[in-house]
């Protein structure tokens, strides 16, 4: 009996203990569930609070951006995120979609004058917070607008704007922010060329002014490109006034051009080294490269040359080291003479001399450039320019003429066709037939010594006569096809004519602005083509100016017609 009571008591105690443990576990689970619920409630409240703060900050930022945009746009609020698409064009004017025209027109932007825009690239996340190396290749610039013909959600960028926004060449899709901005008229600009030689351009500030006509804005740190013939000069905008971004439309700007960095000087090739009369200079030129010099013919030198008693000689003495050079001379504004763009040239093997005298209509007072081209190997040379007396040559010519006039009784030699005295004709013909031969090439007929005839050859293409050793150079210089920078291919003679008359990259003096500019292709307007205007002159002449007589605004290219038709002035 006691055993059963004990077993029942133990069983009851065990059940009570299990119930207490279950109750304790339940309380612990409820406590943990309450704590977890509290943590979740606090996390939700924190997330909601963070979203409210972010929304408030975003709204504040949007309000600030709107306020800045309104301030920058003088009351015009315009913002677009567009895909950048390059197109070939000059200047800094971009192409926008037609919808932008409607939005700007509704706000009256066209009533406020020319349109200017601030362009800023965005990164892949759509943020303008660009750090490190990307900050150097992504920057902000400004532009005008060319037309509203771009595809929707895209903006057309000319090369000038593209290179200033995206320095690195990448294949990625670029998105940029386009904002309307108001810019003040510029008064001052400081520019720095990337290499020396820009200041050697004749009237380089006028050339810069002509290039600026294609631009509406300038921004600090922009790279501004100037083309002069085949050469391209890049100038960095160091400083602007009165702001870091300015308008260059219808305003006079004071421009300072500072010297390039010393590193640029060491890599520069197209540099005009000064050459003094009577003082030779030495140098080295590698095959395919040019070395340039310049000299000036002033009034004193021209007075001596024009009197006929002297001439100007440009001479190159080449050392016999297996190399060879070509010599080119041009008068400014053609400052860098080349193989197919020059006024005087010499292709002699070894040393060579060019004679400039008063009988040459292209030779006059002015500045001249000498181009030494490395035709073969690495050549060491000595170049000089001097004024040489004509008296010795003149005396020799007079002596020859008086000698020929004394011999009236003469007979023509059957071999060399020269006239010799009749008393010695038999002896002369016997000697001449043994030692001299006549070239049988059509149109040549030159008399040569027997030993010289072996080296006397004619070009199969042009028929000119040369020594055997000169034929290879003649063929390469005159008959090897040359490619013009405009794309056409000609031999030398045709290339010289092409670059002088029809090449769109040839330099001309514009009859309207007076600057040395690239002619461009034929004028787009048929009337301008009939008047002989180049593409540049057609565009430049479309600018208007007030008539001196009546004050009416007339296009420059129609000003002469206006004077005749309205004012009866020739």
């Amino acid at each position: 009996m006691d055993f059963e009571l004990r077993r029942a008591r133990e069983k009851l105690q065990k059940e009570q203990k299990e119930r207490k443990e279950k109750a304790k576990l339940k309380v612990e689970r409820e406590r943990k569930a309450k704590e977890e619920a509290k943590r979740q409630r606090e996390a939700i409240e924190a997330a909601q609070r963070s979203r409210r703060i972010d929304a408030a900050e975003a709204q504040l930022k949007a309000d600030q951006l709107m306020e800045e945009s309104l301030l920058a746009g003088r009351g015009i609020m315009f913002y677009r995120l567009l895909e950048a698409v390059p197109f070939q064009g000059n200047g800094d004017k971009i192409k926008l979609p037609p919808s932008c025209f409607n939005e700007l027109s509704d706000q009256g932007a066209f009533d406020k004058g020319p349109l200017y825009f601030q362009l800023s690239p965005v990164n892949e996340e759509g943020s303008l917070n660009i750090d490190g190396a990307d900050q150097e290749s992504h920057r902000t610039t400004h532009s005008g607008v060319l037309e509203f013909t771009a595809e929707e959600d895209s903006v057309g960028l000319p090369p000038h704007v593209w290179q200033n926004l995206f320095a690195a060449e990448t294949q990625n899709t670029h998105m940029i922010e386009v904002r309307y901005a108001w810019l003040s008229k510029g008064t001052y600009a400081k520019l720095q060329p990337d290499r020396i030689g820009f200041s050697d351009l004749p009237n380089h500030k006028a050339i810069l002014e002509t290039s600026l006509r294609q631009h509406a804005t300038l921004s600090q740190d922009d790279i501004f490109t100037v083309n002069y013939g085949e050469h391209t000069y890049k100038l960095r905008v160091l400083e602007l006034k009165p702001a870091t971004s300015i308008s260059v439309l219808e305003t006079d700007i004071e421009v300072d051009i500072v010297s390039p960095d010393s590193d640029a000087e060491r890599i520069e090739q197209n540099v005009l080294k000064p050459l003094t009369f009577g003082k030779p200079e030495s140098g080295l030129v590698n095959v395919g490269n040019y070395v340039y010099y310049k000299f000036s013919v002033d009034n004193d030198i021209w007075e001596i040359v024009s009197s006929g008693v002297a001439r100007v000689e440009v001479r190159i003495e080449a050392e016999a080291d297996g190399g060879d050079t070509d010599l080119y001379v041009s008068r400014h504004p053609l400052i860098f003479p080349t193989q197919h763009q020059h006024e005087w040239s010499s292709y002699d093997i070894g040393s060579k001399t060019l004679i400039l005298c008063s009988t040459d209509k292209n030779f006059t007072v002015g500045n001249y450039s000498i181009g030494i081209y490395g035709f073969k190997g690495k050549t060491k040379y000595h170049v000089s320019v001097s004024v040489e007396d004509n008296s010795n040559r003149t005396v020799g010519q007079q002596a020859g003429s008086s000698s020929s006039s004394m011999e009236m009784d003469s007979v023509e030699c059957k071999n060399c066709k020269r006239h010799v005295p009749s008393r010695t004709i038999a002896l002369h013909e016997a000697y001449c037939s043994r030692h001299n031969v006549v070239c049988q090439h059509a149109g040549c007929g030159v008399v040569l010594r027997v030993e010289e005839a072996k080296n006397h050859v004619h070009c199969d293409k042009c028929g000119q006569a040369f020594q055997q050793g000169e034929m290879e150079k003649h063929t390469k210089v005159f008959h090897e096809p040359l490619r013009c920078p405009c794309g056409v291919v000609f031999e030398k003679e045709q290339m010289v004519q092409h670059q002088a008359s029809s090449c769109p990259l040839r330099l001309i003096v514009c009859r309207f602005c007076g600057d040395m500019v690239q002619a461009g292709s034929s004028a787009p307007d048929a009337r301008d083509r009939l008047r002989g205007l180049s593409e540049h002159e057609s565009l430049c002449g479309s600018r208007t100016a007030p008539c001196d007589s009546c004050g009416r605004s007339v296009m420059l290219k129609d000003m002469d017609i206006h004077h005749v038709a309205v004012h009866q002035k020739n």
Side-chain angles (χ1 to χ4, degrees):
M1 187 70 179
D2 293 338
F3 175 75
E4 293 178 354
L5 291 174
R6 187 170 60 253
R7 291 286 303 272
R9 186 171 56 253
E10 290 177 354
K11 182 179 179 181
L12 179 62
Q13 290 177 350
K14 183 178 180 181
E15 290 176 353
Q16 290 177 346
K17 184 178 180 180
E18 289 178 353
R19 285 196 296 269
K20 287 181 181 180
E21 289 180 354
K22 289 181 179 180
K24 186 176 179 180
L25 290 174
K26 182 179 179 180
V27 171
E28 184 67 21
R29 284 196 301 269
E30 291 177 352
R31 184 182 66 79
K32 289 182 178 180
K34 290 180 180 180
E35 291 180 352
E36 182 64 23
K38 183 179 179 180
R39 282 196 300 269
Q40 291 180 357
R41 187 169 56 253
E42 290 177 349
I44 293 173
E45 291 176 354
Q48 292 176 345
R49 184 166 56 252
S50 177
R51 283 195 294 269
R52 289 194 297 270
I53 293 174
D54 291 343
E57 290 178 351
Q59 183 63 38
L60 180 61
K61 185 177 180 180
D63 293 341
Q64 290 176 347
L65 289 175
M66 180 175 294
E67 184 177 354
E68 291 175 359
S69 298
L70 289 172
L71 182 62
R74 296 293 180 94
I76 305 298
M77 177 60 190
F78 175 83
Y79 168 84
R80 286 290 185 94
L81 185 63
L82 302 172
E83 178 183 349
V85 177
F87 76 92
Q88 291 302 316
N90 298 319
D92 66 342
K93 297 180 177 64
I94 62 176
K95 294 181 181 181
L96 290 173
S99 59
C100 296
F101 176 87
N102 298 329
E103 184 175 346
L104 291 165
S105 180
D106 293 341
Q107 299 186 57
F110 294 94
D111 298 331
K112 294 182 177 293
L115 302 179
Y116 306 110
F117 298 92
Q118 176 183 305
L119 310 178
S120 304
V122 298
N123 62 5
E124 295 179 356
E125 288 75 19
S127 172
L128 285 173
N129 297 325
I130 302 173
D131 300 325
D134 290 340
Q135 194 170 11
E136 298 180 0
S137 58
H138 294 76
R139 51 179 307 276
T140 298
T141 189
H142 291 75
S143 73
V145 60
L146 180 64
E147 54 192 31
F148 293 90
T149 59
E151 297 290 336
E152 288 297 331
D153 300 323
S154 67
V155 54
L157 303 183
H160 169 80
V161 177
W162 187 277
Q163 72 175 3
N164 281 300
L165 284 177
F166 315 111
E169 292 292 336
T170 61
Q171 301 298 325
N172 297 334
T173 299
H174 297 286
M175 302 297 294
I176 64 171
E177 289 185 342
V178 181
R179 301 177 186 275
Y180 176 88
W182 183 89
L183 299 180
S184 57
K185 291 184 179 295
T187 58
Y188 173 82
K190 181 187 290 186
L191 308 177
Q192 183 183 47
D194 64 337
R195 56 192 178 98
I196 64 175
F198 180 75
S199 298
D200 289 328
L201 299 180
N203 202 5
H204 56 275
K205 288 195 175 183
I207 298 171
L208 183 60
E209 179 183 351
T210 300
S211 298
L212 277 173
R213 290 197 189 118
Q214 300 173 340
H215 289 253
T217 68
L218 275 184
S219 297
Q220 192 165 304
D221 292 329
D222 272 0
I223 301 296
F224 182 75
T225 302
V226 176
N227 295 315
Y228 187 82
E230 300 178 14
H231 304 285
T232 299
Y233 299 87
K234 293 185 178 181
L235 293 85
R236 179 175 292 276
V237 182
L238 298 182
E239 182 182 354
L240 295 171
K241 292 181 182 179
T244 56
S245 296
I246 60 172
S247 167
V248 296
L249 295 177
E250 299 178 357
T251 182
D252 293 328
I253 300 178
E254 179 186 355
V255 178
D256 282 342
I257 299 177
V258 301
S259 300
D261 296 333
S262 58
D263 292 340
E265 295 185 13
R266 290 196 291 268
I267 63 174
E268 175 58 39
Q269 291 185 358
N270 296 327
V271 180
L272 293 176
K273 303 176 183 178
L275 195 59
T276 306
F277 274 85
K279 183 179 179 181
E281 297 287 342
S282 301
L284 285 170
V285 60
N286 291 319
V287 60
N289 291 340
Y290 287 91
V291 177
Y292 291 106
Y293 294 87
K294 62 180 178 179
F295 66 93
S296 298
V297 176
D298 55 23
N299 291 323
D300 294 336
I301 296 176
W302 176 247
E303 183 176 352
I304 299 173
V305 174
S306 60
S307 65
V309 300
R311 63 191 185 276
V312 173
E313 289 189 1
V314 180
R315 183 181 294 108
I316 290 183
E317 300 290 340
E319 296 188 2
D321 53 0
D324 192 18
T325 61
D326 291 335
L327 175 62
Y328 305 100
V329 177
S330 66
R331 184 162 61 93
H332 292 187
L334 179 56
I335 61 174
F336 296 119
T338 61
Q339 288 176 294
H340 45 264
Q341 208 171 22
H342 57 268
E343 295 185 64
W344 300 274
S345 61
S346 176
Y347 303 95
D348 296 338
I349 295 178
S351 300
K352 48 189 69 68
T353 301
L354 277 177
I355 298 176
L356 308 177
C357 57
S358 58
T359 57
D360 191 336
K361 63 180 181 179
N362 293 327
F363 182 60
T364 183
V365 176
N367 297 319
Y368 293 80
S369 295
I370 300 173
I372 302 174
Y373 176 71
F375 179 80
K376 179 181 179 182
K378 187 174 184 179
T379 308
K380 186 175 182 180
Y381 62 86
H382 306 279
V383 60
S384 64
V385 58
S386 59
V387 179
E388 299 294 335
D389 193 0
N390 279 336
S391 58
N392 293 334
R393 187 177 61 177
T394 304
V395 170
Q397 291 174 348
Q398 292 175 348
S401 61
S402 61
S403 173
S404 61
S405 63
M406 293 173 60
E407 300 291 343
M408 301 300 296
D409 185 14
S410 60
V411 180
E412 184 183 83
C413 174
K414 297 178 181 179
N415 186 49
C416 66
K417 308 302 180 182
R418 290 179 56 190
H419 286 269
V420 297
S422 57
R423 66 177 183 272
T424 61
I425 185 62
L427 182 62
H428 170 81
E429 287 184 342
Y431 178 86
C432 185
S433 61
R434 292 195 307 270
H435 295 85
N436 297 332
V437 294
V438 179
C439 179
Q440 300 301 315
H441 189 277
C444 183
V446 66
V447 180
L448 301 166
R449 304 289 291 181
V450 174
E451 59 272 14
E452 294 176 350
K454 298 178 181 179
N455 291 326
H456 180 76
V457 293
H458 285 266
C459 177
D460 295 334
K461 293 186 177 181
C462 62
Q464 293 189 42
F466 299 96
Q467 294 292 323
Q468 183 71 46
E470 298 175 346
M471 182 54 65
E472 180 182 357
K473 182 174 183 179
H474 167 79
T475 302
K476 186 171 183 179
V477 171
F478 287 90
H479 301 300
E480 188 174 276
L482 299 172
R483 178 174 293 276
C484 181
C486 72
V488 300
V489 178
F490 290 119
E491 291 185 358
K492 181 183 181 303
E493 296 296 336
Q494 294 173 303
M495 182 63 72
V496 171
Q497 183 179 1
H498 163 75
Q499 294 227 337
S501 59
S502 58
C503 179
L505 300 180
R506 72 187 187 279
L507 297 177
I508 62 170
V509 178
C510 177
R511 66 186 75 180
F512 302 114
C513 64
D515 296 339
M516 288 297 303
V517 295
Q518 292 182 359
S521 56
S522 59
D525 187 85
R527 293 175 300 174
D528 292 343
R529 291 197 295 270
L530 290 174
R531 287 186 281 185
L533 300 182
S534 66
E535 181 183 22
H536 167 84
E537 290 175 325
S538 178
L539 296 175
C540 187
S542 299
R543 295 180 294 120
T544 60
C547 174
D548 295 336
S549 300
C550 62
R552 185 186 305 174
S553 294
V554 182
M555 286 195 296
L556 295 177
K557 60 185 178 184
D558 294 335
M559 190 68 73
D560 52 349
I561 300 176
H562 172 79
H563 284 160
V564 173
V566 179
H567 304 293
Q568 287 76 46
K569 294 182 179 180
N570 293 327

